[in-house]
Amino acid sequence: QVQLVESGGGLVQPGGSLRLSCAASGTISRVSAMAWYRQAPGKQREFVAVISSGDSTNYAESVKGRFTISRDNAENTMYLQMNSLKPEDTAVYYCNAVVRSNNGYDYTYWGQGTRVTVSS
């Protein structure tokens, strides 16, 4: 079994910064792509950013230039540095990871989410 645990959410003023973390633990052979999604109140979950095991990245247009995704493969941990935050960034942020288990199969996991509120 694999667990993804997010941390780093909170309340921040517009223009501020936060850094989210997602740590993967459990029976892991290799962590492939890792991604962040978010779900604002009353809206569907949406893609934010993704990073491959080789550190290739892709971002949603709404966060390009403001958010930076990174990872530490040795620690199976992913980060999301969020700068110049806007009220529309308010959401629950979810970690997503594709994990290769010891049986050779890939499984997709989700974290429980961490809430980010951008408000003055």
Side-chain angles (χ1 to χ4, degrees), residues 91-113:
V92 177
Y93 284 71
Y94 295 92
C95 170
N96 169 281
V98 177
V99 177
R100 175 150 298 176
S101 183
N102 290 337
N103 63 12
Y105 289 94
D106 290 338
Y107 299 90
T108 298
Y109 294 92
W110 290 90
Q112 82 289 349

CSV table of all heavy atoms in Angstrom, one decimal, residues 91-113:
chain,number,residue,atom,x,y,z
A,91,ALA,N,-8.5,26.8,-3.1
A,91,ALA,CA,-8.9,25.4,-3.4
A,91,ALA,C,-8.3,24.4,-2.5
A,91,ALA,O,-7.4,24.8,-1.7
A,91,ALA,CB,-8.5,25.1,-4.9
A,92,VAL,N,-8.8,23.2,-2.5
A,92,VAL,CA,-8.1,22.1,-1.9
A,92,VAL,C,-7.1,21.5,-3.0
A,92,VAL,O,-7.6,21.2,-4.1
A,92,VAL,CB,-9.1,21.0,-1.4
A,92,VAL,CG1,-8.3,19.8,-0.8
A,92,VAL,CG2,-10.0,21.6,-0.4
A,93,TYR,N,-5.9,21.4,-2.6
A,93,TYR,CA,-4.8,20.9,-3.5
A,93,TYR,C,-4.6,19.5,-3.2
A,93,TYR,O,-4.3,19.1,-2.1
A,93,TYR,CB,-3.6,21.8,-3.4
A,93,TYR,CG,-3.7,23.1,-4.1
A,93,TYR,CD1,-4.6,24.1,-3.5
A,93,TYR,CD2,-3.1,23.4,-5.2
A,93,TYR,CE1,-4.7,25.3,-4.1
A,93,TYR,CE2,-3.2,24.6,-5.9
A,93,TYR,CZ,-4.0,25.6,-5.3
A,93,TYR,OH,-4.2,26.8,-5.9
A,94,TYR,N,-4.6,18.7,-4.3
A,94,TYR,CA,-4.4,17.2,-4.2
A,94,TYR,C,-3.1,16.8,-4.9
A,94,TYR,O,-2.8,17.2,-6.0
A,94,TYR,CB,-5.6,16.5,-4.8
A,94,TYR,CG,-6.9,16.7,-4.0
A,94,TYR,CD1,-7.7,17.7,-4.4
A,94,TYR,CD2,-7.2,15.9,-3.0
A,94,TYR,CE1,-8.9,17.9,-3.8
A,94,TYR,CE2,-8.4,16.1,-2.3
A,94,TYR,CZ,-9.3,17.1,-2.7
A,94,TYR,OH,-10.5,17.3,-2.1
A,95,CYS,N,-2.4,15.9,-4.2
A,95,CYS,CA,-1.2,15.3,-4.8
A,95,CYS,C,-1.7,14.0,-5.5
A,95,CYS,O,-2.5,13.2,-5.0
A,95,CYS,CB,-0.3,14.9,-3.7
A,95,CYS,SG,1.1,13.9,-4.1
A,96,ASN,N,-1.1,13.7,-6.7
A,96,ASN,CA,-1.3,12.6,-7.5
A,96,ASN,C,0.0,11.9,-7.9
A,96,ASN,O,0.9,12.7,-8.3
A,96,ASN,CB,-2.2,13.0,-8.7
A,96,ASN,CG,-2.3,11.9,-9.7
A,96,ASN,OD1,-1.4,11.6,-10.5
A,96,ASN,ND2,-3.4,11.2,-9.7
A,97,ALA,N,0.1,10.6,-7.8
A,97,ALA,CA,1.3,10.0,-8.2
A,97,ALA,C,1.1,8.6,-8.8
A,97,ALA,O,0.2,7.9,-8.4
A,97,ALA,CB,2.3,9.8,-7.0
A,98,VAL,N,1.9,8.3,-9.8
A,98,VAL,CA,1.9,7.0,-10.5
A,98,VAL,C,3.1,6.2,-9.8
A,98,VAL,O,4.2,6.7,-10.0
A,98,VAL,CB,2.0,7.1,-12.0
A,98,VAL,CG1,2.1,5.7,-12.6
A,98,VAL,CG2,0.9,7.9,-12.6
A,99,VAL,N,2.8,5.1,-9.2
A,99,VAL,CA,3.8,4.4,-8.4
A,99,VAL,C,3.9,3.0,-9.0
A,99,VAL,O,2.9,2.3,-9.2
A,99,VAL,CB,3.4,4.3,-7.0
A,99,VAL,CG1,4.4,3.5,-6.2
A,99,VAL,CG2,3.3,5.7,-6.4
A,100,ARG,N,5.1,2.6,-9.3
A,100,ARG,CA,5.3,1.2,-9.7
A,100,ARG,C,5.6,0.4,-8.4
A,100,ARG,O,6.5,0.6,-7.6
A,100,ARG,CB,6.5,1.0,-10.6
A,100,ARG,CG,6.9,-0.4,-10.9
A,100,ARG,CD,7.5,-0.5,-12.2
A,100,ARG,NE,6.6,-0.1,-13.3
A,100,ARG,CZ,7.0,0.0,-14.6
A,100,ARG,NH1,8.2,-0.3,-15.0
A,100,ARG,NH2,6.1,0.4,-15.5
A,101,SER,N,4.7,-0.7,-8.2
A,101,SER,CA,4.8,-1.5,-7.1
A,101,SER,C,5.8,-2.6,-7.3
A,101,SER,O,6.4,-2.8,-8.4
A,101,SER,CB,3.4,-2.1,-6.8
A,101,SER,OG,3.5,-2.9,-5.6
A,102,ASN,N,6.1,-3.3,-6.2
A,102,ASN,CA,7.1,-4.4,-6.3
A,102,ASN,C,6.7,-5.5,-7.3
A,102,ASN,O,7.5,-6.4,-7.7
A,102,ASN,CB,7.4,-5.0,-5.0
A,102,ASN,CG,8.2,-4.0,-4.1
A,102,ASN,OD1,8.9,-3.1,-4.6
A,102,ASN,ND2,8.2,-4.1,-2.8
A,103,ASN,N,5.3,-5.6,-7.6
A,103,ASN,CA,4.9,-6.6,-8.5
A,103,ASN,C,5.0,-6.2,-10.0
A,103,ASN,O,4.6,-6.9,-10.9
A,103,ASN,CB,3.4,-7.0,-8.2
A,103,ASN,CG,2.5,-5.8,-8.4
A,103,ASN,OD1,2.8,-4.7,-9.0
A,103,ASN,ND2,1.2,-5.9,-7.9
A,104,GLY,N,5.5,-5.0,-10.2
A,104,GLY,CA,5.8,-4.5,-11.6
A,104,GLY,C,4.7,-3.8,-12.2
A,104,GLY,O,4.8,-3.3,-13.3
A,105,TYR,N,3.6,-3.6,-11.5
A,105,TYR,CA,2.4,-2.9,-12.1
A,105,TYR,C,2.4,-1.4,-11.5
A,105,TYR,O,2.9,-1.2,-10.4
A,105,TYR,CB,1.1,-3.6,-11.7
A,105,TYR,CG,0.9,-4.9,-12.4
A,105,TYR,CD1,1.3,-6.1,-11.8
A,105,TYR,CD2,0.3,-4.9,-13.7
A,105,TYR,CE1,1.1,-7.3,-12.5
A,105,TYR,CE2,0.1,-6.1,-14.3
A,105,TYR,CZ,0.5,-7.3,-13.8
A,105,TYR,OH,0.3,-8.4,-14.4
A,106,ASP,N,1.9,-0.5,-12.4
A,106,ASP,CA,1.8,0.9,-12.0
A,106,ASP,C,0.4,1.1,-11.4
A,106,ASP,O,-0.6,0.6,-12.0
A,106,ASP,CB,2.0,1.8,-13.2
A,106,ASP,CG,3.4,1.8,-13.7
A,106,ASP,OD1,4.3,1.5,-12.8
A,106,ASP,OD2,3.6,2.2,-14.8
A,107,TYR,N,0.3,1.9,-10.3
A,107,TYR,CA,-0.9,2.3,-9.7
A,107,TYR,C,-1.0,3.8,-9.5
A,107,TYR,O,0.1,4.4,-9.3
A,107,TYR,CB,-1.1,1.6,-8.4
A,107,TYR,CG,-1.1,0.1,-8.5
A,107,TYR,CD1,0.1,-0.7,-8.4
A,107,TYR,CD2,-2.3,-0.7,-8.6
A,107,TYR,CE1,0.1,-2.0,-8.5
A,107,TYR,CE2,-2.3,-2.0,-8.7
A,107,TYR,CZ,-1.1,-2.7,-8.6
A,107,TYR,OH,-1.1,-4.1,-8.7
A,108,THR,N,-2.2,4.3,-9.6
A,108,THR,CA,-2.3,5.8,-9.4
A,108,THR,C,-2.9,6.0,-8.0
A,108,THR,O,-3.9,5.4,-7.6
A,108,THR,CB,-3.2,6.4,-10.4
A,108,THR,OG1,-2.6,6.2,-11.7
A,108,THR,CG2,-3.4,7.9,-10.2
A,109,TYR,N,-2.3,6.9,-7.3
A,109,TYR,CA,-2.7,7.2,-5.9
A,109,TYR,C,-3.0,8.7,-5.8
A,109,TYR,O,-2.4,9.6,-6.5
A,109,TYR,CB,-1.6,6.9,-4.9
A,109,TYR,CG,-1.4,5.4,-4.8
A,109,TYR,CD1,-0.4,4.8,-5.6
A,109,TYR,CD2,-2.1,4.6,-4.0
A,109,TYR,CE1,-0.1,3.4,-5.5
A,109,TYR,CE2,-1.9,3.2,-3.9
A,109,TYR,CZ,-0.9,2.7,-4.7
A,109,TYR,OH,-0.6,1.3,-4.6
A,110,TRP,N,-3.9,9.0,-4.8
A,110,TRP,CA,-4.2,10.4,-4.5
A,110,TRP,C,-4.0,10.7,-3.0
A,110,TRP,O,-4.2,9.8,-2.2
A,110,TRP,CB,-5.7,10.7,-4.8
A,110,TRP,CG,-6.0,10.7,-6.2
A,110,TRP,CD1,-6.4,9.7,-7.0
A,110,TRP,CD2,-6.0,11.9,-7.1
A,110,TRP,NE1,-6.6,10.1,-8.3
A,110,TRP,CE2,-6.4,11.4,-8.4
A,110,TRP,CE3,-5.7,13.2,-6.9
A,110,TRP,CZ2,-6.5,12.3,-9.5
A,110,TRP,CZ3,-5.8,14.1,-8.0
A,110,TRP,CH2,-6.2,13.6,-9.2
A,111,GLY,N,-3.6,11.9,-2.7
A,111,GLY,CA,-3.5,12.3,-1.3
A,111,GLY,C,-4.9,12.8,-0.8
A,111,GLY,O,-5.8,12.8,-1.6
A,112,GLN,N,-4.9,13.1,0.5
A,112,GLN,CA,-6.2,13.5,1.1
A,112,GLN,C,-6.5,15.0,0.9
A,112,GLN,O,-7.6,15.5,1.1
A,112,GLN,CB,-6.1,13.3,2.6
A,112,GLN,CG,-5.4,14.3,3.4
A,112,GLN,CD,-3.9,14.4,3.3
A,112,GLN,OE1,-3.3,13.5,2.7
A,112,GLN,NE2,-3.3,15.4,3.8
A,113,GLY,N,-5.5,15.8,0.4
A,113,GLY,CA,-5.7,17.2,0.1
A,113,GLY,C,-5.3,18.1,1.2
A,113,GLY,O,-5.3,17.7,2.4
